[in-house]
Amino acid sequence: MTRMPARFLLVDVDNTLYSRAYGVIERVDALIDCFLVERLGITPAEVGAVRGELRRVHGTTLRGLMHERAIDADEYLRFVHCFDVAEILAPDPALQAMLARIPLPKVSMTNAPTAHAHAVLDRLGVRDCFLRVYALEQLDYVPKPLPEAFATVLEDLAAAPADCILVEDSPPNLATARALGMRSVHVAEGAASAPGAEVTIGSILELEAALARLEAH
């Protein structure tokens, strides 16, 4: 059976559009720990176990805190993203040029809040490359890898899973996308290839060639 051409490229933001070596997610993780200690009174010794259990049951720390502690999601997101990405990231003309050459409509899908997603895209110089940005607020605070997050995006785009290619660094997110019927590109940056990823690349700058290989399959 002939495979239909993709209609949309779904692209993650953090640790996908830039190298994890910048340490952006590590800053967020440290601030999440601070939130649990300063705002919820959890001891530093307990933070790791509490976060692990919240992620195990609910998918993310935030979703768990919303369900179990009724925290204000926007307050939490402001706290854990209270740093300037411009101090960490730099404009990436090569990324901008590569994305501009890819003819597929590109949408961003991220577990970050809108303000952070836009700040990263603006700092990298690629905001205009994206048709839409689906951040946590647009996902109704339901994060990847939950299928409901993907369903929200697909419904808004009026697209089927087979219409989409997910570009992502997270193996669990890739696994859900593949189970739904999306094609996938894993930005592994030296990590092992995610199970089920059709194409694995070491850097986002290899995406153009990866898509050509994917369409040739």
Side-chain angles (χ1 to χ4, degrees):
M1 183 174 67
T2 302
R3 179 180 282 177
M4 296 297 292
R7 291 176 53 209
F8 294 101
L9 197 63
L10 307 185
V11 186
D12 180 46
V13 175
D14 291 309
N15 288 359
T16 294
L17 287 175
Y18 59 81
S19 171
R20 66 169 62 95
Y22 285 105
V24 173
I25 295 304
E26 285 74 14
R27 287 205 184 193
V28 174
D29 274 337
L31 287 166
I32 292 173
D33 290 349
C34 286
F35 184 93
L36 268 62
V37 172
E38 296 177 14
R39 299 295 178 88
L40 301 180
I42 297 169
T43 68
E46 296 173 316
V47 162
V50 170
R51 288 189 63 188
E53 182 64 8
L54 291 172
R55 289 193 299 266
R56 185 188 70 80
V57 176
H58 300 282
T60 64
T61 302
L62 171 58
R63 187 169 171 82
L65 292 176
M66 290 172 66
H67 281 266
E68 297 189 10
R69 299 288 188 113
I71 67 159
D72 180 273
D74 293 325
E75 177 190 358
Y76 169 94
L77 291 169
R78 284 192 297 269
F79 187 102
V80 305
H81 290 279
C82 65
F83 57 92
D84 186 357
V85 297
E87 297 177 355
I88 307 171
L89 303 175
D92 192 338
L95 175 64
Q96 192 279 333
M98 186 269 292
L99 290 174
R101 289 193 301 268
I102 295 173
L104 286 172
K106 290 163 283 291
V107 300
S108 169
M109 184 181 178
T110 174
N111 283 349
T114 300
H116 175 84
H118 281 255
V120 171
L121 296 175
D122 286 338
R123 182 57 172 164
L124 294 174
V126 299
R127 177 67 185 87
D128 290 344
C129 295
F130 289 88
L131 177 68
R132 295 178 191 172
V133 176
Y134 295 97
L136 264 183
E137 295 91 335
Q138 291 75 46
L139 300 176
D140 295 325
Y141 300 96
V142 177
K144 298 176 290 182
L146 295 177
E148 295 87 346
F150 291 93
T152 296
V153 173
L154 292 171
E155 181 179 4
D156 192 63
L157 293 174
D163 295 330
C164 302
I165 299 171
L166 179 68
V167 182
E168 169 76 64
D169 71 293
S170 166
N173 299 345
L174 288 160
T176 298
R178 292 288 294 137
L180 291 171
M182 294 183 186
R183 283 174 281 174
S184 59
V185 176
H186 181 201
V187 184
E189 196 176 353
S193 180
E198 291 179 87
V199 177
T200 299
I201 56 179
S203 162
I204 190 64
L205 295 179
E206 301 170 33
L207 178 59
E208 193 173 15
L211 293 175
R213 296 191 345 246
L214 192 62
E215 290 301 327
H217 285 178

